[in-house]
Amino acid sequence: MASTSSSDFFTINLGTRPARAYRIPAPPTQSVSGASVSSASAEGAVAARWLKKGQPLSVGNFLIPGGLIYTTLCVDPQSALCEPSLINTWLKLWPENVDSSSSLMTYWPDYKTISAQARRGYVQWLAEGRCDPRADIGYVFIFFYGLERRALVDTGNDQEAIDDLPDIIEAVEHLLGIYGSNSSLRGYAESFLDYLGHSQIDENLYLHSPPVTSAARSSMPMGLRVGLGQMAINQYPVNGQWALAWALSDPDITRRTPATRCPDLLATLFIDEFERVYPDGIVLSHNKTKLKHGYRTASRAVGAPVMDLGEIPDVTASSLNRKKLQFLLDRCSSDLDGYSRFIGRYPENAQKLEGLLQLPISLWPSTLRDELERLKARIEDDLEVMTFADLGKRFNSAGVLSRPLLLAMARALESLQIGMEPDVLAGSRTPKPDDCIALFVTLPDDGALRATPAYNAACLTLDLASAVTVADGEISAEEVSLLLNQIDAWQHLSIAQRKRLKAHLGIQLQQPPTLVSLKSRLEPLAITEKQAIAHFLASLAQADGCVSAQEVKLLERVYKVLQLDPQSLYGDLHVATASRAFSEHFGVPLTTPEPQLMPELGGVVLNLDRIALLQRETEAVSALLAKVFTEEPLNEPEPAPPVNETQDDAAVIIPGLEGDHLAFLRLLLSRPQWSRSELEDSASDMELMLDGALEHINELAYEHFDMPITEGEEPVEINPDILEKLTL
């Protein structure tokens, strides 16, 4: 029952029932430590007593220190107050200790009717501080029944009972902290606290932050439902924070494991995605179902009045917006599934690179995001070469990255316009820990420009050239300049491909390929094509003006790999001979060189004529290789189908009941009875036919429990006997 001071502001008086005088026949003298017993009346009766917090009670050989319980001493238990939590000290206890985890009671336990063994277990549990996590949940419910009566009945006209409310709330929160994993206890306790906590409802509640909630809740807080209803009345759009609170607490929105395993990340991702998809928020329709606040008590001995909240609509009765939130929540959960599974297996590595690579970079810790930005700034227009192991260490890797994680790392870098060579995203092999990799700055569209036959031919050209260049143990500036200039001269390749070639060259100059690794790639060439390549490499060896013994030795091996006569090398090493042979093969005209220009570059004198000739030779060789070179694709294992983790405690209520019918049943169970017109409005909001929905729900209830959910037609009442059978 509610008194209305304005159309949108409600003051709710929880004490709607008068306090009862609990009178029972007079027993022998009773001693209750710390609490006085009401004096006997003319008929010789004595009142049952409520012990406040901290008031002790002796029962048998036990001292119960916590208070917050009803007690009496009565010769005839049937004469006592009809309160299942009432401890009648006249009743005997089992003489031996009881295992508190043993199930010794029925669904609705009552202290006066349970066995002496169960009473002993309950008193033990109370005496030990109501905190044994192994205790049978029935003991918790007996104690909870008493808290319900004190808060819902005694507060009617008893100021002392009203003063006890903070202690009762504290006790319920204590129970939730220990026994909250029990879905039944959690559902009742959360709803009880929600019911007690809304004695006043702010008419501008929707303008504030939403009530704190989490995916562990079994029902939506009333403050959240009221705020959403106010938004519908005022056509005020739901923002990301309110939408998140709704998605995390609506029992008819499925929440997967990431919602409880990494809630902060899910919250950030959900709000960002909501604001991207709905930049102006979601405006809720003013649906027909009116919001009422009811509490279905755990105890069968007391009840709670349904609070009428006026014209505020219950927007959760409409399925359209719930489906929008479900879609967004599923999408965000999918983005977190990999990370959720990783920290489920390796919780100690939650901040390691192996786990973070399965998150969007926006969710990485700020320290690693800053390291990425520093790396990008350091590279700028240059490149940075490091070992694969060093890359992992820089970003807090727990070990060597597997192939899937390396691909994730490459994608993460590319999202920040940092390219990585070797190009694992194009199928290059996974580098070993000591292998070099190169990082370089890319443009936004560079990632789409992957390997082509022409690009692969240029790579092979550089591989051969690198092997010759480093053969003497030294890399001259002229040799490097020649190769870099040649890369720039390959105009048939895109700018992105030329950047990647320079990164490839940076690796090869530090870790040149072996001739054995190149042999299979050279075998398809004709003998004349192999001769042309040999001529080019001999010319390259002379780029710095001299040919070392090491270079000659390597060239001999190259000629052998190309199946050419090693003795022909010595003729090719003569520049004129090499140039003449190259010219004859490729039709490159030989011109009489003009006087040589010898500019200084970094203290090194470059022979530009020689370099220009070698550039033309390199272009021709690359064109040749492009005709025959085909990169073998790397056989990647088929990715495993994604696994969607769901919460283990997802409520079913009735097996086989799903979707809007399940949501309709939850709404039904929120009140002990409904008028038919109210149910017709709610069914209409959910796009259901009322009679068909009730028939479907009751048929399933009969099938599984041999009794219906609802009884009667006007009003429609909830069958109380089925509540103990439902998974709530």
Side-chain angles (χ1 to χ4, degrees), residues 541-594:
Q542 300 179 77
D544 58 356
C546 66
V547 181
S548 69
Q550 292 90 339
E551 287 175 311
V552 172
K553 186 175 181 179
L554 178 65
L555 285 169
E556 288 177 344
R557 293 176 58 200
V558 170
Y559 274 57
K560 188 175 294 185
V561 168
L562 291 172
Q563 298 177 322
L564 299 175
D565 182 4
Q567 294 302 316
S568 64
L569 165 64
Y570 299 99
D572 292 342
L573 284 173
H574 191 279
V575 175
T577 304
S579 299
R580 199 161 40 248
F582 187 89
S583 176
E584 291 171 358
H585 184 84
F586 290 107
V588 178
L590 287 176
T591 58
T592 303
E594 297 180 2

Side-chain angles (χ1 to χ4, degrees), residues 270-425:
F270 182 92
I271 291 175
D272 289 346
E273 184 69 5
F274 181 91
E275 292 175 349
R276 185 187 68 81
V277 177
Y278 303 106
D280 299 322
I282 295 177
V283 178
L284 304 174
S285 61
H286 191 159
N287 55 295
K288 299 177 183 178
T289 305
K290 299 299 183 289
L291 186 62
K292 294 185 178 182
H293 195 183
Y295 169 60
R296 187 180 68 252
T297 59
S299 171
R300 303 185 74 171
V302 299
V306 175
M307 304 176 188
D308 189 345
L309 303 183
E311 293 302 310
I312 298 178
D314 185 355
V315 299
T316 64
S318 175
S319 61
L320 176 61
N321 293 307
R322 186 166 60 247
K323 291 175 180 177
K324 293 178 181 178
L325 299 181
Q326 182 75 73
F327 177 78
L328 289 181
L329 192 65
D330 285 345
R331 178 187 294 177
C332 295
S333 296
S334 294
D335 288 343
L336 295 175
D337 274 339
Y339 179 75
S340 174
R341 287 192 293 272
F342 177 84
I343 63 174
R345 295 179 61 189
Y346 311 106
E348 69 281 1
N349 289 336
Q351 296 300 307
K352 294 295 184 181
L353 182 62
E354 286 75 5
L356 298 176
L357 281 174
Q358 301 179 69
L359 294 174
I361 288 183
S362 60
L363 298 181
W364 284 22
S366 59
T367 53
L368 292 189
R369 293 201 307 271
D370 292 344
E371 176 61 27
L372 281 172
E373 293 298 332
R374 286 193 295 270
L375 180 62
K376 185 176 180 180
R378 189 164 58 248
I379 296 171
E380 295 182 346
D381 293 329
D382 201 353
L383 60 90
E384 182 155 332
V385 179
M386 66 188 74
T387 66
F388 183 38
D390 286 340
L391 175 68
K393 291 177 183 176
R394 184 168 294 187
F395 291 97
N396 195 28
S397 171
V400 178
L401 295 179
S402 64
R403 177 81 184 179
L405 292 179
L406 174 60
L407 295 175
M409 182 67 183
R411 293 189 192 98
L413 292 170
E414 198 166 87
S415 70
L416 294 179
Q417 296 174 227
I418 299 175
M420 185 173 74
E421 180 65 23
D423 191 358
V424 294
L425 295 178

Side-chain angles (χ1 to χ4, degrees), residues 7 74 141 146 171 183 244 311 347 371 397 445-446 450-451 514 660:
S7 60
C74 179
F141 270 108
S183 59
L244 174 67
E311 293 302 310
E371 176 61 27
S397 171
D445 296 331
D446 288 357
R450 295 298 181 192
T514 64
D660 290 338

Side-chain angles (χ1 to χ4, degrees), residues 161-220:
I162 295 173
D163 293 340
D164 285 335
L165 286 176
D167 294 330
I168 291 173
I169 291 172
E170 180 184 9
V172 175
E173 291 173 341
H174 172 76
L175 296 178
L176 267 175
I178 300 173
Y179 306 101
S181 59
N182 181 278
S183 59
S184 181
L185 186 278
R186 185 176 70 246
Y188 281 112
E190 288 176 348
S191 298
F192 182 55
L193 292 175
D194 199 30
Y195 189 81
L196 296 182
H198 285 88
S199 59
Q200 290 186 336
I201 297 178
D202 186 349
E203 62 182 354
N204 294 318
L205 183 62
Y206 69 103
L207 297 177
H208 307 300
S209 297
V212 177
T213 188
S214 72
R217 278 193 66 98
S218 58
S219 61
M220 290 182 67

Side-chain angles (χ1 to χ4, degrees), residues 450-684:
R450 295 298 181 192
T452 62
Y455 174 83
N456 290 333
C459 277
L460 182 54
T461 303
L462 290 178
D463 291 346
L464 289 165
S466 300
V468 173
T469 299
V470 301
D472 59 359
E474 296 181 2
I475 305 174
S476 72
E478 287 180 314
E479 291 169 325
V480 175
S481 178
L482 166 65
L483 295 174
L484 291 175
N485 289 338
Q486 183 54 63
I487 291 172
D488 288 332
W490 281 329
Q491 294 298 311
H492 63 290
L493 300 177
S494 68
I495 294 176
Q497 288 174 322
R498 279 177 271 161
K499 280 184 180 179
R500 186 169 290 280
L501 280 175
K502 291 179 180 180
H504 182 76
L505 177 62
I507 295 174
Q508 301 302 63
L509 292 177
Q510 293 202 28
Q511 287 185 328
T514 64
L515 291 178
V516 174
S517 67
L518 300 174
K519 182 178 179 180
S520 62
R521 299 161 71 182
L522 297 169
E523 285 179 350
L525 300 178
I527 188 66
T528 55
E529 294 166 337
K530 292 177 179 178
Q531 288 173 342
I533 294 173
H535 293 321
F536 161 67
L537 294 176
S539 300
L540 179 65
Q542 300 179 77
D544 58 356
C546 66
V547 181
S548 69
Q550 292 90 339
E551 287 175 311
V552 172
K553 186 175 181 179
L554 178 65
L555 285 169
E556 288 177 344
R557 293 176 58 200
V558 170
Y559 274 57
K560 188 175 294 185
V561 168
L562 291 172
Q563 298 177 322
L564 299 175
D565 182 4
Q567 294 302 316
S568 64
L569 165 64
Y570 299 99
D572 292 342
L573 284 173
H574 191 279
V575 175
T577 304
S579 299
R580 199 161 40 248
F582 187 89
S583 176
E584 291 171 358
H585 184 84
F586 290 107
V588 178
L590 287 176
T591 58
T592 303
E594 297 180 2
Q596 294 183 354
L597 300 176
M598 306 289 284
E600 287 194 6
L601 180 61
V604 178
V605 177
L606 302 180
N607 187 325
L608 298 186
D609 283 332
R610 182 178 294 158
I611 289 175
L613 179 60
L614 287 173
Q615 286 175 345
R616 293 196 297 274
E617 293 179 357
T618 308
E619 289 175 6
V621 170
S622 295
L624 180 155
L625 293 172
K627 297 177 183 178
V628 297
F629 182 84
T630 302
E631 179 76 13
E632 290 294 330
L634 187 66
N635 292 325
E636 294 289 340
E638 288 292 327
V643 177
N644 295 333
E645 295 182 304
T646 55
Q647 291 182 206
D648 295 333
D649 60 348
V652 176
I653 301 186
I654 300 179
L657 194 66
E658 300 176 341
D660 290 338
H661 284 95
L662 177 58
F664 185 61
L665 175 58
R666 290 188 203 277
L667 187 64
L668 273 176
L669 296 176
S670 67
R671 307 181 199 171
Q673 69 176 31
W674 294 75
S675 69
R676 185 168 180 84
S677 62
E678 289 176 327
L679 281 183
E680 286 174 343
D681 287 343
S682 298
S684 174

